[in-house]
């Protein structure tokens, strides 16, 4: 089955700096890669996703890049703000896989003032 | 507004007791999922359903069961609770596409003493 590895497990960034979280996947058939943000005491919430037919997608301060050859994808957050402090999860799934997501182990990001 | 709710939000039980966690969604989604979240493991799939009367085992299904009698609800039952089942449980739902967004509930924190 699919295996998703996520790094780093913890990340501390200064307010206003950029942050990058990286994930690798094992199943070359995976073609959908969402990123979820989980705030304390809440459920994960989708913040951005990318499908395998594109290499990059942006939404204001966040962006995701995908390298299908290397089987890795990354979340980029620019101009980090205190409200970006949360746990971030990457995930992967594939067409025909029944919408089942395989998650990475999460990154605890803390934005320092 | 459409939403997904879970109850109870917190539960303490004793080893050997049967416990049922409720999940209710008002999106009319066909797909529903149960995950458990543990430190160092991210989110792991317990059971999932693609529609009424359909249920399937995920990667960590031992000791858990689900039933789907209507579109809105997918209750998760721990037949005989064990301390290893102390965790935070999340329910999610998605439309019937194979790579559609999953929307998560707020979670249930279960402690088995």
């Amino acid at each position: 089955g699919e295996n998703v590895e996520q790094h780093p497990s913890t990340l501390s960034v200064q307010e206003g700096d950029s942050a990058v979280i990286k994930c690798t996947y094992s199943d070359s058939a995976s073609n959908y890669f969402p990123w979820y943000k989980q705030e304390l005491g809440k459920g994960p919430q989708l913040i951005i996703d990318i499908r395998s037919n594109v290499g990059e997608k942006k939404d204001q301060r966040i962006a995701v890049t995908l390298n299908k050859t290397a089987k890795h994808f990354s979340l980029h957050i620019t101009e980090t703000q205190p409200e970006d402090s949360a746990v971030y999860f990457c995930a992967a799934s594939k067409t025909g896989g029944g919408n089942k997501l395989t998650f990475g182990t999460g990154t605890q990001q803390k934005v320092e003032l | 507004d459409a939403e997904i709710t879970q109850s109870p939000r917190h539960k303490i039980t004793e080893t050997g007791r049967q416990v049922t966690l409720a999940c209710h969604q008002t999106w009319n989604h066909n797909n529903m999922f149960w995950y458990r979240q543990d430190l160092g493991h991210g989110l792991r799939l317990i059971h999932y359903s693609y529609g009424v009367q359909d249920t399937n085992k995920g990667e960590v299904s031992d000791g858990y069961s689900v039933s789907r009698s209507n579109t809105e609800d997918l209750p998760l039952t721990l037949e005989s609770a064990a301390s290893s089942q102390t965790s935070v449980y999340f329910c999610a739902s998605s439309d019937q596409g194979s790579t559609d967004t999953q929307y998560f509930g707020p979670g249930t924190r279960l402690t088995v003493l």
Side-chain angles (χ1 to χ4, degrees), chain A residues 9-82:
Chain A
S9 58
T10 60
L11 182 59
S12 182
V13 294
Q14 291 292 317
E15 184 179 6
D17 286 351
S18 297
V20 180
I21 302 171
K22 300 181 179 181
C23 289
T24 61
Y25 61 98
S26 61
D27 188 347
S28 57
S30 289
N31 59 357
Y32 174 63
F33 307 93
W35 285 90
Y36 285 83
K37 176 183 180 182
Q38 185 180 24
E39 297 177 342
L40 193 63
K42 297 184 178 180
Q45 183 176 14
L46 180 74
I47 55 172
I48 196 167
D49 57 14
I50 191 167
R51 299 180 190 275
S52 59
N53 56 345
V54 298
E56 183 175 4
K57 183 177 179 181
K58 291 183 179 180
D59 183 2
Q60 299 183 340
R61 295 187 297 107
I62 62 174
V64 57
T65 57
L66 172 65
N67 183 325
K68 288 182 62 180
T69 302
K71 290 190 284 188
H72 67 71
F73 56 112
S74 300
L75 177 71
H76 304 257
I77 305 174
T78 58
E79 301 174 22
T80 54
Q81 301 172 4

Side-chain angles (χ1 to χ4, degrees), chain B residues 33-95:
Chain B
F33 307 84
W34 273 104
Y35 296 89
R36 61 178 289 173
Q37 183 177 27
D38 304 287
L39 196 62
H41 290 279
L43 291 145
R44 293 181 291 175
L45 184 63
I46 306 172
H47 281 286
Y48 55 101
S49 168
Y50 293 139
V52 176
Q53 302 301 329
D54 176 75
T55 61
N56 305 279
K57 294 181 178 180
E59 64 174 305
V60 290
S61 61
D62 287 350
Y64 304 94
S65 64
V66 293
S67 61
R68 187 93 179 266
S69 59
N70 58 54
T71 301
E72 296 80 17
D73 300 288
L74 186 70
L76 176 71
T77 297
L78 287 68
E79 302 293 345
S80 178
S83 57
S84 60
Q85 294 177 308
T86 292
S87 186
V88 181
Y89 292 86
F90 289 97
C91 178
S93 72
S94 68
D95 211 341

Side-chain angles (χ1 to χ4, degrees), chain A residues 1-12:
Chain A
E2 174 68 277
N3 182 51
V4 177
E5 295 189 357
Q6 182 173 346
H7 299 280
S9 58
T10 60
L11 182 59
S12 182

